Amino acid sequence: NYVDGIRLNYNNGMFGFILGLHDGYWTEDHFDGDDLAIDLAGSVMFFPGLEARLGYAHQSLDKNSLGSAKDGDINQFNAWLAYNPGALTLATEFDNYAIDLGNSTDTDYWSWMLLANYQFTDWFAGTLRYTHEDVELAPGDTYDSDRITFALLFSLTDHFGLNVEYSTTSVDNSATASNKQGDYNEFLVEGLITY
C-alpha cells in the first residue's frame, strides 16, 4: 500500500533505529492532520548470529473517514528473534494487531511463528515451521489455526532454486466466523529465479 511520508533510519551494524511519519500506514489521507500514522522499529545484534527486532505502528482514524460516530485507530506490534550459528537458523516472531474502527467490527489478531532451518550442503536445505493465528473479529466471532510446514529447498543453479513444501493446518472457529473448520493439507512446488 503506497503512502507518502518521511522516514529516519540509523544503523551502525550493531544497533538500528527507524522512525517514520506517514499520511497513513494502512490507508492514505493526504496529510490532512486527522489520520497521520507513525512507525517505530529497533534492532540489536547481541553478537554475530543473534539478532532481535521490535516494531510498532499506529494510525489514528477520524470518524468521518470511518463513517462512524467516533474516532478509531489501528495498532500493530511485532517482535522477531533469530539465531544463526553457521548452518543452523532458529527464529521466532510474534505479531499483534488491534483494530478499532469505532463500531462493532473491531478486530484483535495475534500470531506466533517458530522456525528451524538447516543448510545441509551449499545446494540443499530443510525447514520446519510452526505458526499459530488467533483472531477475534467481534464478540463471539473467533478464529484460530495451527499450521506445521516442512520444506526442502534446492539451489539448482546460481540463479534458480526449487522449493518443495508440505503443510498441515488445523482450523477452529466459532459458528459465526466465515472461515471453515477442519484440517487442511497442502503440497506446493515453487520455482525461484533470482538475479
Side-chain angles (χ1 to χ4, degrees):
N1 191 29
Y2 177 80
V3 296
D4 293 318
I6 56 174
R7 176 172 279 164
L8 170 70
N9 184 356
Y10 171 78
N11 193 315
N12 66 7
M14 294 293 288
F15 175 77
F17 178 76
I18 293 172
L19 171 62
L21 177 65
H22 314 276
D23 65 342
Y25 201 76
W26 290 275
T27 60
E28 63 176 319
D29 204 38
H30 308 294
F31 281 113
D32 72 356
D34 293 325
D35 292 1
L36 293 180
I38 63 165
D39 70 311
L40 303 166
S43 64
V44 61
M45 183 180 292
F46 298 101
F47 53 84
L50 181 62
E51 184 176 357
R53 297 179 188 176
L54 292 174
Y56 173 75
H58 171 83
Q59 180 176 349
S60 296
L61 303 170
D62 70 88
K63 59 186 176 183
N64 294 325
S65 66
L66 292 173
S68 171
K70 66 173 187 171
D71 295 339
D73 56 32
I74 303 174
N75 295 285
Q76 181 190 11
F77 172 77
N78 180 269
W80 177 87
L81 179 68
Y83 179 54
N84 181 224
L88 176 67
T89 299
L90 301 173
T92 185
E93 183 175 16
F94 176 79
D95 204 34
N96 186 76
Y97 278 95
I99 304 171
D100 176 5
L101 299 180
N103 53 38
S104 62
T105 60
D106 298 345
T107 300
D108 289 314
Y109 166 90
W110 68 269
S111 64
W112 183 43
M113 183 272 300
L114 293 170
L115 177 140
N117 173 276
Y118 193 80
Q119 190 73 40
F120 294 98
T121 67
D122 59 350
W123 58 270
F124 172 64
T127 298
L128 181 64
R129 183 176 67 240
Y130 165 78
T131 55
H132 175 81
E133 289 185 298
D134 193 291
V135 185
E136 184 175 347
L137 303 167
D141 194 1
T142 61
Y143 164 86
D144 65 78
S145 69
D146 293 286
R147 179 180 183 123
I148 298 173
T149 301
F150 179 67
L152 300 176
L153 307 106
F154 302 91
S155 297
L156 302 180
T157 70
D158 290 341
H159 302 290
F160 181 70
L162 189 67
N163 294 353
V164 180
E165 182 177 301
Y166 169 75
S167 294
T168 181
T169 306
S170 176
V171 176
D172 185 27
N173 58 343
S174 65
T176 58
S178 60
N179 306 84
K180 295 181 179 179
Q181 295 194 68
D183 296 327
Y184 301 89
N185 297 297
E186 291 179 286
F187 180 76
L188 304 171
V189 178
E190 178 181 40
L192 301 172
I193 298 174
T194 58
Y195 284 96

